[in-house]
Amino acid sequence: MMPARSMVRMIVANTLRSPKHFVLSAFGIVMGIAAFVFFLGLSTGVRAVILGKIFPLEQVQVVAPRASLLLGEKRLDDAIVDTIRKRPEVAEALPRMNLNFPAYGKGRFEGQDLRFEVGGFADGIDAGFVGDSPRTAELFRDWEIVEKDQPKVACEPAPPDPDEDDYYIPPAPAAPAAPAAGTPAGPTSGTTASPAAGSVGEPAAAPRPRGYKNTCPKPDLYYCDESTRVCTRRVPVVVSPTLLELYNGQFAKSHGLPTINSDLAEFIVKRGGLGRMRFTIGLGSTIVTGSNAKIDRSQRRRIEAQLIGISPKAMPIGMTMPIDYIRRWNREYLGEEAAGTYSSIIVTLKNKDELAVFSQWLQDDLGLRLEDSLGERFATAIFLVTSLFVLISFVIITISAINIAHNFFMQVSERRRELGILRAVGATRRDVRLIILGEAAFIGVIGGLIGVGLAVSCGALVDWASSSYLPRFPFKPTTYFAFESWIWLSGLGFSTFFCILGGFLPARRAALLEPAAALAQT
Amino acid sequence: MPVGGCYGAPVSGSPVICVRDVEKSYGSGAARTQVLRKVSVEIQPGEMVALVGQSGSGKSTLLNIIGGLDQPDQGEVSVLGLNLQTASEPERARLRNESIGFVFQAFNLLDHLTCLGNVVLPAAFSQKDASHAQERGMESLRRVKMAELALRRPSELSGGQKQRVAIARALFASPSLLLCDEPTGNLDSQTGKEVIDFFRELNSKDNVTLLIVTHERRVSSIAQRVIAMRDGKIVETTDEALAEAGPS
C-alpha cells in the first residue's frame, strides 16, 4: 500500500486539478449539508429559546389534583415531599409555596410610580435552588434566619404618607422621623400616586413630611421595619426571564421605560446599585377592586423587598423569594395549614426516560399528577419540525451522493489510461480504490466545510435581518440559531460519509480495471 | 518444452523471464479470439531481446503478461524469480514498482504532472525511502538529457522529448528489466535512433535486460536475440523471422 503522505498529496492534487468536476460533485453536497446544518441550528436555537426561556423543561412539576366532592382536596405537604424524594428515579424534589393572601407592591422606577398585585403572583422556593449566578446565590437567602443571632440596630421608620401609603396603618405610638435634607429617593418618597382601589387601608391622619432618611447601615440593603423598628434586610426577589421579556416587549414600550438586557447586574449597577431596585410590599392589602379576601386591617403591614436577579426558576409571571418568607407570612395571615401546604413540588428526575414510570406511580400511589407542560408540547412540535427538516436535508444529501457516484463513474471512465499508468508504475488495486475514495472523501470534507460555512453565514444573515428590520417582540432572541459543535461535526461527518458512499462503486470499478486494458485506451 | 531454473529464489545466471505454455484469449463464445497459444520463452539476465511479428500476433499481450499488467488464461510466468500466477496482487505491483520499467509507444505520461512529476511517480507507490525522490528524478532526466525541461508539462514537449521522459520514468527505480512496447513507433527516424542508442548503452553499460516489442528492423537489428511471433505462437528466432516482421 502506498504511503499515506503520498496518497494524501495525490488525492488533493487530483481533486484540485479539475475544478469543474469538483464543483459538479460538491454542489449538491454543499447544498445538502448547508440545509442540514441550517435547519438543525435553527431548530436547536429556537428550542433553546422556547424551552430555555419561555417554557423551561428542566424539571417536572407535581401538583395536587383539583378538589372533588368524593376525594376532597389533596394537600402537598412535607410528608409528600419526603415520599417523593425517596423514589429511586428522583434526583431532587423541591417544594414551591404560593403567597396565598392579598398583597400589593409599590415602588419607583425611572421616575415612575409602579403598583402591582403581589398576592397570587409571588411564591417561594428553596434558597439553594436559585443559584444561577454567584451573585444571585449570595443574595437569594432568608436573611431573617441568616441574621437571626446578629445584634439588631434600632431605627426610625418612615412616617406614613396618606397620599401614598394608603394601605398603611401605623402601629401606635408612631412618632414622626426627623427630616433630613437632600435624600429624596426612597420607597416612601416621590410623586403622588393614584389612590389604590378596593380594600385599601385607612389613610393616616397626618401628612408625612418629605425628606425621610434611612438611618440603617447599608441603606441599599436594609430598611427600617415599621413593626419591629429595627433595621431589617430587604426580602430578596428574583423574577423570570419570561417576565423580563414581557416587560421589555410590551410594558417598557407602553410606558416609556428603558428596556433591561439579560445582564440585570449591569443594569442595576448603572442605576445606582441594589438600593434602586427596592419596592414595598403591603402585606394584607390589595389593589384588586372587589377582592373577597378577609384580612383584618390591624394585620396589614409593610415590608420592603428588592429585585436581586433573574432566574428561570422564578415564577413565570410574578416574583419568587426564599420559601421561608412565604411560609412565615402564610402562617401569619392564613394559619398553620397554609404554612405547611405547598402549591407544587419541582422534581428533577435522574433520567428523563423514567418520567412515565414516575408519573404512573405519582397517580397510583399518591393521587397526584404532573402539571401539563406546554414545554413538552413545544418540544414535541419542535422535534417533529426538526425531523422534517433533517429528512429534507437527507434527501438532498442522498441525491448528492447519487450525483457524486455518477460523476465518479464518468471520471473513472475518463481516467482509465491514467489509472492504468498508476498500476503500471506500482499502484495496487487497493491503492487505486483508496485514491478514488479519498478524492470522494476530500470533496465531502471540503463540501461539508463550505456547507457549514454557508449555513452559518445564512444564519448570521437571518439574525442581522431580524435585528435590523423586525420590531421587538417578547422573547425576541439575539440569534435564532445554535450551531453547536455536534451539529457542524455531524454535517462534516455526513458529508464525508455520503461522498465516500457515492464514490464506493466507482472506486471498486476503478480497482478492478486490468492495467493492460486501461492502457489500451487511446 | 519444459523450462528449467525459472522458479524459486533468483540466483545468479537464472533466467530473468520464464514463460511456459502461456495461453490467452479475449472475448467469449463466437467472438472469442485466441491471442497466445502455448507460448514458452526464456530470457537471460543482460539480454536485449526484440519481439517481432505482425499486428495481432500477440507480442504486446505477451509483453503485458510478462510485466504483470495482464493475466494469462493458462501457463506459468516467472519474472525475476517471482511466479506471477501464485504471487499476490501487491507482490506483482511491487515487482512493477521496483524492478520493471515500462516504455510504451504512446508514452503514457500524465498531462497534469510536470516531467519531473511523471518521472518520480513510482516513488508515490514505493515502500522505500522517498526522501530523495526529486534528486533521483532529476538524475533520471539528466540521463535522457531532459533535465532542463523538468518543470515543463508533457503537452509542451515533442514526441521524442516525451519518450525520453517516459524512459526516465522507467529508469527511475533502477530496474533490472525494461519492457518496451513499440518505443520508437511514434518517433521520427532521428529521434528513434537516439532512443535505440540509449537502449543499447543501457544494456551494455548497466546490464539492464531489455525486451522490446517492435516492428522496426533497425531496433531488432541491435538486439542480441530476435523472437518472432505469428498467430499467437513463437515461430522463429532468426533473421528470417525478422525479415518477415516488416520493413526497417
Side-chain angles (χ1 to χ4, degrees), chain B residues 22-82:
Chain B
V22 163
E23 295 192 16
K24 177 73 179 177
S25 61
Y26 292 113
S28 59
R32 187 166 181 271
T33 307
Q34 188 81 21
V35 183
L36 296 178
R37 303 164 193 269
K38 296 270 181 192
V39 172
S40 296
V41 68
E42 279 186 15
I43 295 174
Q44 300 302 321
E47 268 196 296
M48 184 172 179
V49 177
L51 189 58
V52 300
Q54 292 176 324
S55 292
S57 61
K59 9 182 236 304
S60 292
T61 301
L62 181 61
L63 190 85
N64 285 337
I65 287 173
I66 290 169
L69 300 177
D70 207 349
Q71 297 284 320
D73 297 336
Q74 282 184 27
E76 287 185 338
V77 180
S78 165
V79 177
L80 295 165
L82 184 71

Short mmCIF file of all heavy atoms in Angstrom, two decimals, chain B residues 22-82:
data_model
loop_
_atom_site.label_atom_id
_atom_site.label_comp_id
_atom_site.label_asym_id
_atom_site.label_seq_id
_atom_site.Cartn_x
_atom_site.Cartn_y
_atom_site.Cartn_z
N VAL B 22 2.02 -20.49 -22.06
CA VAL B 22 1.03 -19.46 -21.76
C VAL B 22 0.00 -19.36 -22.87
O VAL B 22 0.33 -19.35 -24.05
CB VAL B 22 1.73 -18.09 -21.54
CG1 VAL B 22 0.73 -16.95 -21.64
CG2 VAL B 22 2.40 -18.06 -20.18
N GLU B 23 -1.27 -19.31 -22.43
CA GLU B 23 -2.37 -19.11 -23.37
C GLU B 23 -3.19 -17.93 -22.92
O GLU B 23 -3.34 -17.66 -21.72
CB GLU B 23 -3.26 -20.37 -23.41
CG GLU B 23 -2.53 -21.57 -23.98
CD GLU B 23 -3.48 -22.72 -24.29
OE1 GLU B 23 -4.70 -22.47 -24.36
OE2 GLU B 23 -3.00 -23.84 -24.45
N LYS B 24 -3.70 -17.21 -23.91
CA LYS B 24 -4.52 -16.05 -23.59
C LYS B 24 -5.53 -15.82 -24.70
O LYS B 24 -5.18 -15.88 -25.88
CB LYS B 24 -3.64 -14.80 -23.43
CG LYS B 24 -4.40 -13.52 -23.15
CD LYS B 24 -4.93 -13.47 -21.73
CE LYS B 24 -5.67 -12.18 -21.44
NZ LYS B 24 -6.25 -12.17 -20.11
N SER B 25 -6.76 -15.58 -24.30
CA SER B 25 -7.78 -15.26 -25.30
C SER B 25 -8.64 -14.11 -24.79
O SER B 25 -8.71 -13.86 -23.58
CB SER B 25 -8.64 -16.49 -25.59
OG SER B 25 -9.29 -16.90 -24.41
N TYR B 26 -9.26 -13.44 -25.70
CA TYR B 26 -10.17 -12.35 -25.35
C TYR B 26 -11.55 -12.67 -25.89
O TYR B 26 -11.70 -13.35 -26.89
CB TYR B 26 -9.69 -11.02 -25.96
CG TYR B 26 -8.41 -10.51 -25.34
CD1 TYR B 26 -7.24 -10.46 -26.09
CD2 TYR B 26 -8.37 -10.09 -24.01
CE1 TYR B 26 -6.06 -9.99 -25.54
CE2 TYR B 26 -7.19 -9.62 -23.46
CZ TYR B 26 -6.03 -9.57 -24.22
OH TYR B 26 -4.88 -9.12 -23.66
N GLY B 27 -12.56 -12.16 -25.23
CA GLY B 27 -13.93 -12.37 -25.66
C GLY B 27 -14.42 -13.75 -25.27
O GLY B 27 -13.71 -14.53 -24.61
N SER B 28 -15.65 -14.04 -25.64
CA SER B 28 -16.22 -15.34 -25.29
C SER B 28 -17.13 -15.80 -26.42
O SER B 28 -17.57 -15.00 -27.26
CB SER B 28 -17.00 -15.25 -23.97
OG SER B 28 -18.02 -14.29 -24.09
N GLY B 29 -17.42 -17.08 -26.41
CA GLY B 29 -18.30 -17.66 -27.43
C GLY B 29 -17.70 -17.52 -28.82
O GLY B 29 -16.50 -17.72 -29.04
N ALA B 30 -18.58 -17.11 -29.74
CA ALA B 30 -18.15 -16.98 -31.13
C ALA B 30 -17.15 -15.84 -31.31
O ALA B 30 -16.35 -15.85 -32.25
CB ALA B 30 -19.37 -16.74 -32.01
N ALA B 31 -17.19 -14.89 -30.41
CA ALA B 31 -16.31 -13.72 -30.52
C ALA B 31 -14.96 -13.96 -29.86
O ALA B 31 -14.13 -13.06 -29.78
CB ALA B 31 -16.98 -12.51 -29.91
N ARG B 32 -14.75 -15.19 -29.38
CA ARG B 32 -13.51 -15.47 -28.64
C ARG B 32 -12.33 -15.47 -29.61
O ARG B 32 -12.38 -16.09 -30.67
CB ARG B 32 -13.64 -16.82 -27.95
CG ARG B 32 -12.51 -17.17 -27.02
CD ARG B 32 -12.92 -18.36 -26.16
NE ARG B 32 -11.89 -18.74 -25.22
CZ ARG B 32 -10.93 -19.62 -25.50
NH1 ARG B 32 -10.92 -20.22 -26.68
NH2 ARG B 32 -10.02 -19.92 -24.59
N THR B 33 -11.26 -14.76 -29.22
CA THR B 33 -10.07 -14.70 -30.06
C THR B 33 -8.89 -15.22 -29.26
O THR B 33 -8.58 -14.69 -28.19
CB THR B 33 -9.78 -13.24 -30.48
OG1 THR B 33 -10.96 -12.70 -31.08
CG2 THR B 33 -8.63 -13.16 -31.45
N GLN B 34 -8.26 -16.24 -29.77
CA GLN B 34 -7.08 -16.80 -29.10
C GLN B 34 -5.87 -15.94 -29.48
O GLN B 34 -5.50 -15.88 -30.66
CB GLN B 34 -6.86 -18.25 -29.55
CG GLN B 34 -5.79 -19.00 -28.79
CD GLN B 34 -6.29 -19.57 -27.45
OE1 GLN B 34 -7.49 -19.74 -27.27
NE2 GLN B 34 -5.38 -19.80 -26.53
N VAL B 35 -5.29 -15.28 -28.51
CA VAL B 35 -4.18 -14.36 -28.79
C VAL B 35 -2.83 -15.04 -28.59
O VAL B 35 -1.90 -14.84 -29.38
CB VAL B 35 -4.29 -13.10 -27.91
CG1 VAL B 35 -3.18 -12.12 -28.23
CG2 VAL B 35 -5.64 -12.44 -28.07
N LEU B 36 -2.71 -15.83 -27.53
CA LEU B 36 -1.46 -16.57 -27.29
C LEU B 36 -1.77 -18.06 -27.19
O LEU B 36 -2.73 -18.46 -26.55
CB LEU B 36 -0.81 -16.09 -25.98
CG LEU B 36 -0.34 -14.63 -25.91
CD1 LEU B 36 0.23 -14.32 -24.53
CD2 LEU B 36 0.70 -14.33 -26.99
N ARG B 37 -0.93 -18.85 -27.87
CA ARG B 37 -1.15 -20.30 -27.87
C ARG B 37 0.13 -20.99 -27.40
O ARG B 37 1.11 -21.02 -28.12
CB ARG B 37 -1.48 -20.78 -29.28
CG ARG B 37 -2.68 -20.11 -29.92
CD ARG B 37 -2.68 -20.35 -31.43
NE ARG B 37 -3.62 -19.49 -32.10
CZ ARG B 37 -4.89 -19.82 -32.35
NH1 ARG B 37 -5.35 -21.00 -31.98
NH2 ARG B 37 -5.67 -18.98 -32.96
N LYS B 38 0.08 -21.52 -26.24
CA LYS B 38 1.18 -22.32 -25.69
C LYS B 38 2.54 -21.64 -25.91
O LYS B 38 3.47 -22.23 -26.48
CB LYS B 38 1.20 -23.70 -26.34
CG LYS B 38 -0.02 -24.54 -26.05
CD LYS B 38 0.18 -25.37 -24.81
CE LYS B 38 -1.05 -26.25 -24.54
NZ LYS B 38 -0.99 -26.84 -23.20
N VAL B 39 2.66 -20.44 -25.50
CA VAL B 39 3.91 -19.70 -25.70
C VAL B 39 4.87 -20.00 -24.56
O VAL B 39 4.50 -19.94 -23.38
CB VAL B 39 3.64 -18.18 -25.76
CG1 VAL B 39 4.94 -17.40 -25.76
CG2 VAL B 39 2.82 -17.85 -27.00
N SER B 40 6.09 -20.34 -24.93
CA SER B 40 7.13 -20.54 -23.92
C SER B 40 8.39 -19.80 -24.37
O SER B 40 8.76 -19.86 -25.55
CB SER B 40 7.46 -22.04 -23.77
OG SER B 40 6.33 -22.74 -23.30
N VAL B 41 9.01 -19.13 -23.42
CA VAL B 41 10.22 -18.38 -23.75
C VAL B 41 11.01 -18.10 -22.47
O VAL B 41 10.44 -18.02 -21.38
CB VAL B 41 9.87 -17.07 -24.49
CG1 VAL B 41 9.16 -16.09 -23.59
CG2 VAL B 41 11.10 -16.42 -25.10
N GLU B 42 12.32 -18.01 -22.64
CA GLU B 42 13.19 -17.65 -21.52
C GLU B 42 14.09 -16.51 -21.95
O GLU B 42 14.54 -16.48 -23.09
CB GLU B 42 14.09 -18.83 -21.12
CG GLU B 42 13.43 -19.84 -20.24
CD GLU B 42 14.41 -20.89 -19.75
OE1 GLU B 42 15.64 -20.65 -19.87
OE2 GLU B 42 13.97 -21.93 -19.28
N ILE B 43 14.33 -15.60 -21.06
CA ILE B 43 15.26 -14.50 -21.35
C ILE B 43 16.25 -14.42 -20.19
O ILE B 43 15.86 -14.40 -19.02
CB ILE B 43 14.51 -13.17 -21.54
CG1 ILE B 43 13.62 -13.28 -22.80
CG2 ILE B 43 15.47 -12.00 -21.66
CD1 ILE B 43 12.72 -12.09 -23.02
N GLN B 44 17.51 -14.41 -20.57
CA GLN B 44 18.57 -14.44 -19.57
C GLN B 44 18.93 -13.04 -19.10
O GLN B 44 18.66 -12.05 -19.80
CB GLN B 44 19.82 -15.11 -20.17
CG GLN B 44 19.60 -16.52 -20.64
CD GLN B 44 19.11 -17.45 -19.54
OE1 GLN B 44 19.58 -17.36 -18.40
NE2 GLN B 44 18.18 -18.34 -19.86
N PRO B 45 19.54 -12.91 -17.96
CA PRO B 45 19.95 -11.58 -17.46
C PRO B 45 20.90 -10.89 -18.44
O PRO B 45 21.79 -11.53 -18.99
CB PRO B 45 20.66 -11.88 -16.14
CG PRO B 45 20.22 -13.23 -15.75
CD PRO B 45 19.88 -13.97 -17.00
N GLY B 46 20.65 -9.60 -18.66
CA GLY B 46 21.53 -8.82 -19.50
C GLY B 46 21.26 -8.97 -20.98
O GLY B 46 21.92 -8.35 -21.81
N GLU B 47 20.28 -9.78 -21.33
CA GLU B 47 19.96 -9.94 -22.75
C GLU B 47 19.17 -8.73 -23.25
O GLU B 47 18.45 -8.08 -22.50
CB GLU B 47 19.08 -11.19 -22.96
CG GLU B 47 19.85 -12.45 -23.28
CD GLU B 47 18.95 -13.53 -23.84
OE1 GLU B 47 18.05 -13.99 -23.12
OE2 GLU B 47 19.15 -13.90 -25.02
N MET B 48 19.32 -8.48 -24.56
CA MET B 48 18.49 -7.48 -25.21
C MET B 48 17.75 -8.21 -26.32
O MET B 48 18.35 -8.66 -27.29
CB MET B 48 19.34 -6.35 -25.78
CG MET B 48 18.55 -5.24 -26.40
SD MET B 48 19.68 -3.89 -26.82
CE MET B 48 18.55 -2.74 -27.55
N VAL B 49 16.45 -8.39 -26.09
CA VAL B 49 15.67 -9.26 -26.97
C VAL B 49 14.62 -8.44 -27.69
O VAL B 49 13.94 -7.61 -27.08
CB VAL B 49 14.98 -10.37 -26.15
CG1 VAL B 49 14.11 -11.25 -27.04
CG2 VAL B 49 16.01 -11.20 -25.41
N ALA B 50 14.49 -8.65 -28.98
CA ALA B 50 13.44 -7.99 -29.76
C ALA B 50 12.34 -9.00 -30.02
O ALA B 50 12.59 -10.15 -30.36
CB ALA B 50 14.01 -7.49 -31.08
N LEU B 51 11.11 -8.56 -29.81
CA LEU B 51 9.95 -9.41 -30.05
C LEU B 51 9.23 -8.84 -31.26
O LEU B 51 8.72 -7.72 -31.21
CB LEU B 51 9.05 -9.40 -28.81
CG LEU B 51 7.89 -10.36 -28.73
CD1 LEU B 51 8.37 -11.81 -28.85
CD2 LEU B 51 7.17 -10.19 -27.39
N VAL B 52 9.26 -9.58 -32.35
CA VAL B 52 8.71 -9.04 -33.59
C VAL B 52 7.54 -9.89 -34.06
O VAL B 52 7.33 -11.01 -33.60
CB VAL B 52 9.79 -8.96 -34.69
CG1 VAL B 52 10.94 -8.07 -34.25
CG2 VAL B 52 10.29 -10.37 -35.04
N GLY B 53 6.81 -9.34 -34.97
CA GLY B 53 5.67 -10.06 -35.52
C GLY B 53 4.65 -9.07 -36.06
O GLY B 53 4.71 -7.88 -35.77
N GLN B 54 3.73 -9.61 -36.82
CA GLN B 54 2.74 -8.74 -37.42
C GLN B 54 1.74 -8.26 -36.35
O GLN B 54 1.65 -8.83 -35.27
CB GLN B 54 2.00 -9.49 -38.52
CG GLN B 54 2.90 -9.77 -39.71
CD GLN B 54 2.20 -10.59 -40.76
OE1 GLN B 54 1.40 -11.48 -40.44
NE2 GLN B 54 2.52 -10.34 -42.01
N SER B 55 0.99 -7.27 -36.73
CA SER B 55 -0.05 -6.79 -35.82
C SER B 55 -1.00 -7.93 -35.50
O SER B 55 -1.40 -8.68 -36.40
CB SER B 55 -0.81 -5.64 -36.46
OG SER B 55 0.01 -4.53 -36.57
N GLY B 56 -1.36 -8.06 -34.25
CA GLY B 56 -2.29 -9.10 -33.83
C GLY B 56 -1.62 -10.43 -33.59
O GLY B 56 -2.29 -11.43 -33.31
N SER B 57 -0.29 -10.44 -33.66
CA SER B 57 0.40 -11.73 -33.46
C SER B 57 0.52 -12.08 -31.98
O SER B 57 0.87 -13.20 -31.63
CB SER B 57 1.79 -11.68 -34.10
OG SER B 57 2.56 -10.65 -33.51
N GLY B 58 0.25 -11.11 -31.08
CA GLY B 58 0.25 -11.41 -29.64
C GLY B 58 1.46 -10.89 -28.90
O GLY B 58 1.63 -11.17 -27.71
N LYS B 59 2.32 -10.11 -29.57
CA LYS B 59 3.56 -9.66 -28.90
C LYS B 59 3.26 -8.71 -27.73
O LYS B 59 3.82 -8.87 -26.64
CB LYS B 59 4.55 -8.96 -29.86
CG LYS B 59 4.07 -8.65 -31.24
CD LYS B 59 5.15 -8.03 -32.05
CE LYS B 59 4.64 -6.68 -32.58
NZ LYS B 59 3.39 -6.85 -33.35
N SER B 60 2.37 -7.73 -27.94
CA SER B 60 2.07 -6.79 -26.84
C SER B 60 1.38 -7.50 -25.69
O SER B 60 1.63 -7.21 -24.52
CB SER B 60 1.19 -5.65 -27.34
OG SER B 60 1.92 -4.83 -28.22
N THR B 61 0.52 -8.46 -26.04
CA THR B 61 -0.16 -9.22 -24.97
C THR B 61 0.86 -9.99 -24.14
O THR B 61 0.78 -10.02 -22.91
CB THR B 61 -1.18 -10.19 -25.60
OG1 THR B 61 -2.12 -9.43 -26.36
CG2 THR B 61 -1.91 -10.99 -24.54
N LEU B 62 1.83 -10.61 -24.85
CA LEU B 62 2.87 -11.34 -24.13
C LEU B 62 3.68 -10.40 -23.24
O LEU B 62 3.98 -10.72 -22.08
CB LEU B 62 3.79 -12.05 -25.13
CG LEU B 62 4.92 -12.88 -24.52
CD1 LEU B 62 4.36 -14.01 -23.64
CD2 LEU B 62 5.82 -13.48 -25.62
N LEU B 63 3.98 -9.21 -23.79
CA LEU B 63 4.75 -8.23 -23.00
C LEU B 63 3.97 -7.82 -21.75
O LEU B 63 4.52 -7.73 -20.65
CB LEU B 63 5.04 -6.99 -23.86
CG LEU B 63 6.02 -6.00 -23.24
CD1 LEU B 63 7.46 -6.41 -23.54
CD2 LEU B 63 5.80 -4.60 -23.78
N ASN B 64 2.67 -7.58 -21.94
CA ASN B 64 1.83 -7.18 -20.79
C ASN B 64 1.76 -8.27 -19.74
O ASN B 64 1.76 -8.00 -18.53
CB ASN B 64 0.42 -6.83 -21.27
CG ASN B 64 0.37 -5.48 -21.98
OD1 ASN B 64 1.24 -4.65 -21.75
ND2 ASN B 64 -0.61 -5.28 -22.83
N ILE B 65 1.68 -9.52 -20.21
CA ILE B 65 1.63 -10.63 -19.24
C ILE B 65 2.94 -10.73 -18.48
O ILE B 65 2.97 -10.94 -17.27
CB ILE B 65 1.28 -11.95 -19.99
CG1 ILE B 65 -0.21 -11.92 -20.39
CG2 ILE B 65 1.58 -13.15 -19.11
CD1 ILE B 65 -0.63 -13.07 -21.27
N ILE B 66 4.05 -10.57 -19.21
CA ILE B 66 5.37 -10.62 -18.54
C ILE B 66 5.49 -9.49 -17.52
O ILE B 66 6.03 -9.66 -16.43
CB ILE B 66 6.50 -10.55 -19.61
CG1 ILE B 66 6.53 -11.86 -20.41
CG2 ILE B 66 7.85 -10.30 -18.95
CD1 ILE B 66 7.42 -11.79 -21.65
N GLY B 67 4.92 -8.32 -17.88
CA GLY B 67 5.01 -7.17 -16.97
C GLY B 67 3.98 -7.20 -15.86
O GLY B 67 3.94 -6.29 -15.02
N GLY B 68 3.13 -8.23 -15.84
CA GLY B 68 2.12 -8.30 -14.78
C GLY B 68 0.97 -7.34 -15.00
O GLY B 68 0.19 -7.08 -14.09
N LEU B 69 0.86 -6.80 -16.21
CA LEU B 69 -0.25 -5.88 -16.50
C LEU B 69 -1.48 -6.64 -16.97
O LEU B 69 -2.55 -6.07 -17.08
CB LEU B 69 0.17 -4.86 -17.58
CG LEU B 69 1.37 -3.97 -17.23
CD1 LEU B 69 1.72 -3.07 -18.41
CD2 LEU B 69 1.07 -3.13 -16.00
N ASP B 70 -1.30 -7.92 -17.28
CA ASP B 70 -2.41 -8.75 -17.75
C ASP B 70 -2.19 -10.16 -17.20
O ASP B 70 -1.08 -10.50 -16.78
CB ASP B 70 -2.45 -8.73 -19.29
CG ASP B 70 -3.86 -8.97 -19.83
OD1 ASP B 70 -4.74 -9.35 -19.02
OD2 ASP B 70 -4.08 -8.76 -21.03
N GLN B 71 -3.25 -10.93 -17.20
CA GLN B 71 -3.18 -12.27 -16.64
C GLN B 71 -3.36 -13.30 -17.75
O GLN B 71 -4.26 -13.16 -18.59
CB GLN B 71 -4.30 -12.47 -15.62
CG GLN B 71 -4.22 -11.56 -14.41
CD GLN B 71 -3.15 -12.02 -13.44
OE1 GLN B 71 -2.99 -13.22 -13.20
NE2 GLN B 71 -2.41 -11.08 -12.91
N PRO B 72 -2.52 -14.34 -17.79
CA PRO B 72 -2.73 -15.40 -18.78
C PRO B 72 -3.90 -16.29 -18.37
O PRO B 72 -4.23 -16.38 -17.18
CB PRO B 72 -1.41 -16.17 -18.76
CG PRO B 72 -0.90 -15.98 -17.37
CD PRO B 72 -1.37 -14.62 -16.93
N ASP B 73 -4.51 -16.93 -19.37
CA ASP B 73 -5.56 -17.89 -19.04
C ASP B 73 -4.95 -19.19 -18.50
O ASP B 73 -5.48 -19.81 -17.59
CB ASP B 73 -6.40 -18.22 -20.29
CG ASP B 73 -7.11 -16.99 -20.83
OD1 ASP B 73 -7.34 -16.06 -20.01
OD2 ASP B 73 -7.43 -16.93 -22.02
N GLN B 74 -3.87 -19.56 -19.10
CA GLN B 74 -3.17 -20.78 -18.66
C GLN B 74 -1.67 -20.57 -18.80
O GLN B 74 -1.22 -19.65 -19.49
CB GLN B 74 -3.58 -21.97 -19.54
CG GLN B 74 -4.94 -22.53 -19.17
CD GLN B 74 -5.28 -23.75 -20.00
OE1 GLN B 74 -4.39 -24.47 -20.46
NE2 GLN B 74 -6.56 -23.98 -20.18
N GLY B 75 -0.92 -21.47 -18.19
CA GLY B 75 0.53 -21.40 -18.28
C GLY B 75 1.13 -20.69 -17.08
O GLY B 75 0.39 -20.26 -16.17
N GLU B 76 2.44 -20.62 -17.10
CA GLU B 76 3.13 -20.02 -15.96
C GLU B 76 4.09 -18.95 -16.44
O GLU B 76 4.73 -19.10 -17.48
CB GLU B 76 3.90 -21.09 -15.19
CG GLU B 76 2.99 -22.02 -14.40
CD GLU B 76 3.79 -22.99 -13.54
OE1 GLU B 76 4.97 -23.25 -13.85
OE2 GLU B 76 3.23 -23.50 -12.57
N VAL B 77 4.20 -17.91 -15.66
CA VAL B 77 5.12 -16.82 -15.98
C VAL B 77 5.91 -16.49 -14.72
O VAL B 77 5.32 -16.29 -13.65
CB VAL B 77 4.38 -15.56 -16.46
CG1 VAL B 77 5.37 -14.45 -16.77
CG2 VAL B 77 3.52 -15.85 -17.67
N SER B 78 7.20 -16.45 -14.87
CA SER B 78 8.06 -16.06 -13.75
C SER B 78 8.95 -14.92 -14.21
O SER B 78 9.55 -14.98 -15.27
CB SER B 78 8.91 -17.26 -13.31
OG SER B 78 9.96 -16.82 -12.48
N VAL B 79 8.97 -13.89 -13.41
CA VAL B 79 9.80 -12.72 -13.74
C VAL B 79 10.65 -12.38 -12.51
O VAL B 79 10.11 -12.20 -11.41
CB VAL B 79 8.93 -11.51 -14.12
CG1 VAL B 79 9.79 -10.29 -14.39
CG2 VAL B 79 8.08 -11.83 -15.34
N LEU B 80 11.95 -12.36 -12.74
CA LEU B 80 12.90 -12.06 -11.65
C LEU B 80 12.63 -12.93 -10.44
O LEU B 80 12.67 -12.49 -9.29
CB LEU B 80 12.81 -10.57 -11.28
CG LEU B 80 13.24 -9.61 -12.39
CD1 LEU B 80 12.77 -8.20 -12.09
CD2 LEU B 80 14.74 -9.64 -12.58
N GLY B 81 12.31 -14.21 -10.73
CA GLY B 81 12.12 -15.18 -9.66
C GLY B 81 10.75 -15.17 -9.04
O GLY B 81 10.46 -15.98 -8.15
N LEU B 82 9.88 -14.28 -9.47
CA LEU B 82 8.54 -14.21 -8.88
C LEU B 82 7.54 -14.88 -9.83
O LEU B 82 7.39 -14.45 -10.98
CB LEU B 82 8.13 -12.75 -8.65
CG LEU B 82 6.79 -12.55 -7.95
CD1 LEU B 82 6.89 -12.95 -6.48
CD2 LEU B 82 6.34 -11.10 -8.06
#
